[in-house]
């Protein structure tokens, strides 16, 4: 086997490993990650981006459960400083801020958040 093919196989193997890690970290049903002092008022926040394919469905699911005024949407293009301050690096991401100021982030579609809300 030529040295070129060995290098190609090593690169492909590395890409497969990275893809598997990403899939494991972003899988649905993942528990919310605590965020220290987000500096946001209590409530539910949906972090989105204009280029995000899943952001539209995430927005619609929250509207169905909470109504249009039941959450606040924060768009990357309009408020990148909030993303940086809170530490959000994936969209869509739902952030639930409690009355005590504690927060949990839920990357991906908000199904897990919706399941936890009272009817």
């Amino acid at each position: 086997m030529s040295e070129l093919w060995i290098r190609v196989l090593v690169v492909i193997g590395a890409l497969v490993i990275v893809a598997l890690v990403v899939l494991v970290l972003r899988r649905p049903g993942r528990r919310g990650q605590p965020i220290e002092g987000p500096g946001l008022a209590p409530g539910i926040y949906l972090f989105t981006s204009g280029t995000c394919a899943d952001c539209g469905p995430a927005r619609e699911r929250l509207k169905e459960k909470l109504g249009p005024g039941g959450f606040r949407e924060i768009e990357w293009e309009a408020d990148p400083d909030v993303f940086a301050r809170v530490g959000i690096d994936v969209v869509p991401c739902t952030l639930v801020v409690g009355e005590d100021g504690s927060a949990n982030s839920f990357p991906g579609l908000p199904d897990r958040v919706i399941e936890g809300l009272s009817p």
Side-chain angles (χ1 to χ4, degrees):
M1 198 181 233
S2 75
E3 187 177 322
L4 175 64
W5 282 108
I6 292 173
R7 289 182 183 188
V8 168
L9 289 175
V10 167
V11 169
I12 290 172
L15 290 173
V16 167
I17 290 170
V18 168
L20 289 173
V21 168
V22 168
L23 286 174
V24 167
L25 292 177
R26 294 191 65 192
R27 72 178 182 260
R30 190 172 150 217
R31 299 182 77 186
Q33 300 299 311
I35 293 183
E36 296 293 324
L40 298 171
I44 298 175
Y45 297 83
L46 177 63
F47 288 81
T48 64
S49 170
T51 59
C52 167
D54 288 334
C55 290
R59 181 183 307 110
E60 291 307 312
R61 289 179 184 177
L62 285 175
K63 279 184 184 177
E64 287 173 12
K65 178 65 178 177
L66 305 173
F71 65 98
R72 178 171 174 225
E73 183 172 350
I74 300 176
E75 298 173 335
W76 165 254
E77 293 81 4
D79 293 312
D81 57 318
V82 176
F83 276 74
R85 186 180 78 233
V86 176
I88 302 296
D89 60 359
V90 63
V91 290
C93 185
T94 306
L95 183 71
V96 179
V97 180
E99 293 294 328
D100 63 355
S102 66
N104 284 307
S105 67
F106 298 86
L109 295 174
D111 297 337
R112 186 127 169 96
V113 174
I114 291 170
E115 288 171 9
L117 297 173
S118 53

